Amino acid sequence: MANNVLIIAEQRDSILKKVAFEMLGLGAELAAALGGKVEAALLGAGLGDLPDTLAQYGATRVYVADDESLASYSSEGYANTLAAFIQAANPQPAIILLGATAMGKDLAPRLAARLGVGLAPDCISMEIEDGRLTTIRPIFAGKALAKVRLKGDPQIATLRPNVLAAPDPDPAATATVETIAADPGTIRARVVDIVAAGEGEIDVAEADVIVSGGRGVAGPEGFAPIRSLAKTLGAAVGASRAAVDAGWIDHLHQVGQTGKTVTPNLYIACGISGAIQHQAGMKTSKVIVAINKDPEAPIFKIANYGIVGDLFDMVPALEKELQALLAE
Ligand SMILES: Cc1cc2nc3c(=O)[nH]c(=O)nc-3n(C[C@H](O)[C@H](O)[C@H](O)COP(=O)(O)OP(=O)(O)OC[C@H]3O[C@@H](n4cnc5c(N)ncnc54)[C@H](O)[C@@H]3O)c2cc1C
């Protein structure tokens, strides 16, 4: 009987994404409820000891396709390899989890289509009810939560990164490592080059802490105090669409409905009013701090901490205090 949970562990440059560990923690709970085990599939080239790391976070078995043809992510190469492996697996996994990352958002629907099953994307919680996967996912730009149950097997879902804690690793844990065939098929679209966004810049989608600026920064130079605070905190720089549309910062920093969805531990919104479309991308942040000179700004309704004041005074003052704290 199918009762195992398979997580698709994402790596880039042979570094595992944190969401892989978060999925292993969740997958272990789901598998326990089904009387099965949590396993991982890992695709790429030059994967070294990454299977051992997955074992330490709970994978009991790791299926590895380590091949030059999978060195950089391609929708077709990864979907073909995984679909062939899963179709041939006996027993098939009951549940397949991917991270709701850029790769997972591209791969999961393609894989689901190949397997002829549905998909629950961008879930923020999952549990087993009556032996079936039941997930919760935000809809309508985060205004409502949908409870989703899938028909058909295997059940496929993507987990929003950073909403669940990763388990503590057990350095003594080991897993059975099994090689699976790289089966990329004919790849019609190939990545020829990857250009890093900015030297040393942290991607908002992967950051633990984000300092964001909106129209209130009043120009590209207004991002200087935001960047400075972000540097002090080791944070990523985010932005509202108003700031991006004005050409003050690149779109890859945009948070929101038409930007990136983020769930950092700390989100500091500076000069951002908190429009529903912005909230759609950051509402599930664990702690929200808002700095705005308008006490009526909607962002204060969802903020855990609010500072009413001019960001050009408040952000440097906050940075100074934090520098002193960090120096202790
Ligand atoms: C289909 C659609 C998709 C969209 N997608 C997105 C999206 O992905 N992300 C997104 O962000 N928006 C999105 N928007 C736009 C969204 O509706 C808002 O227009 C946008 O978020 C506003 O950005 P803002 O908060 O920076 O600007 P504003 O709403 O103009 O707010 C600026 C804030 O700064 C404050 N302020 C001004 N000066 C200072 C200062 N010196 N110190 C402190 N505070 C100051 C003001 O009080 C104000 O609250 C979308 C809209 C649509 C229709």
Side-chain angles (χ1 to χ4, degrees):
M1 204 186 91
N3 51 11
N4 289 341
V5 176
L6 178 74
I7 73 122
I8 312 300
E10 181 179 344
Q11 57 79 30
R12 196 183 304 155
D13 300 330
S14 297
I15 297 168
L16 287 162
K17 298 268 172 181
K18 198 156 78 67
V19 70
F21 308 137
E22 294 159 7
M23 289 192 293
L24 282 171
L26 170 67
E29 284 172 23
L30 299 175
L34 292 173
K37 291 182 173 155
V38 63
E39 304 181 328
L42 179 64
L43 277 59
L47 297 171
D49 58 4
L50 297 192
D52 300 339
T53 310
L54 292 169
Q56 289 170 9
Y57 281 89
T60 55
R61 188 179 288 265
V62 185
Y63 302 99
V64 181
D66 193 336
D67 192 89
E68 228 10 78
S69 63
L70 303 172
S72 61
Y73 172 72
S74 71
S75 316
E76 289 166 314
Y78 275 48
N80 288 340
T81 298
L82 283 169
F85 158 62
I86 291 162
Q87 273 157 347
N90 187 18
Q92 286 198 341
I95 296 170
I96 301 171
L97 300 180
L98 297 93
T101 57
M103 184 189 105
K105 285 176 188 169
D106 184 72
L107 179 59
R110 196 174 277 264
L111 182 61
R114 287 287 161 82
L115 299 175
V117 294
L119 167 72
D122 199 21
C123 302
I124 55 170
S125 85
M126 301 188 203
E127 59 183 358
I128 301 295
E129 272 181 19
D130 305 325
R132 300 289 297 172
L133 179 68
T134 304
T135 74
I136 302 288
R137 58 179 299 254
I139 54 168
F140 302 130
K143 276 203 151 183
L145 296 175
K147 191 171 180 177
V148 179
R149 295 184 78 176
L150 295 161
K151 291 180 181 165
D153 293 293
Q155 303 162 86
I156 308 186
T158 65
L159 174 70
R160 187 179 284 195
N162 221 17
V163 289
L164 301 177
D168 290 329
D170 172 3
T174 55
T176 310
V177 178
E178 215 173 283
T179 301
I180 60 171
D183 192 359
T186 311
I187 301 176
R188 288 169 295 177
R190 213 173 262 286
V191 177
V192 286
D193 197 11
I194 296 175
V195 183
E199 199 55 42
E201 280 201 351
I202 304 168
D203 182 355
V204 281
E206 291 171 14
D208 269 342
V209 181
I210 298 173
V211 187
S212 268
R215 205 191 311 265
V217 307
E221 62 291 340
F223 270 96
I226 308 283
R227 286 188 192 283
S228 180
L229 176 58
K231 196 168 172 215
T232 295
L233 292 175
V237 175
S240 73
R241 177 160 161 181
V244 171
D245 283 355
W248 302 340
I249 189 163
D250 194 89
H251 177 259
L252 60 90
H253 294 269
Q254 186 180 317
V255 171
Q257 191 181 327
T258 43
K260 289 180 179 160
T261 304
V262 299
T263 313
N265 290 324
L266 174 62
Y267 188 89
I268 307 178
C270 311
I272 293 177
S273 61
I276 186 70
Q277 297 88 355
H278 188 77
Q279 289 190 24
M282 46 67 75
K283 209 176 165 182
T284 49
S285 303
K286 304 224 171 67
V287 175
I288 298 170
V289 177
I291 303 174
N292 197 303
K293 60 183 185 186
D294 174 9
E296 301 299 324
I299 191 81
F300 286 127
K301 292 205 172 74
I302 58 159
N304 303 85
Y305 300 93
I307 303 171
V308 179
D310 191 314
L311 73 92
F312 293 104
D313 298 329
M314 296 303 153
V315 173
L318 187 63
E319 186 182 356
K320 207 169 146 208
E321 289 295 326
L322 288 167
Q323 270 168 343
L325 274 175
L326 290 168
E328 272 174 20

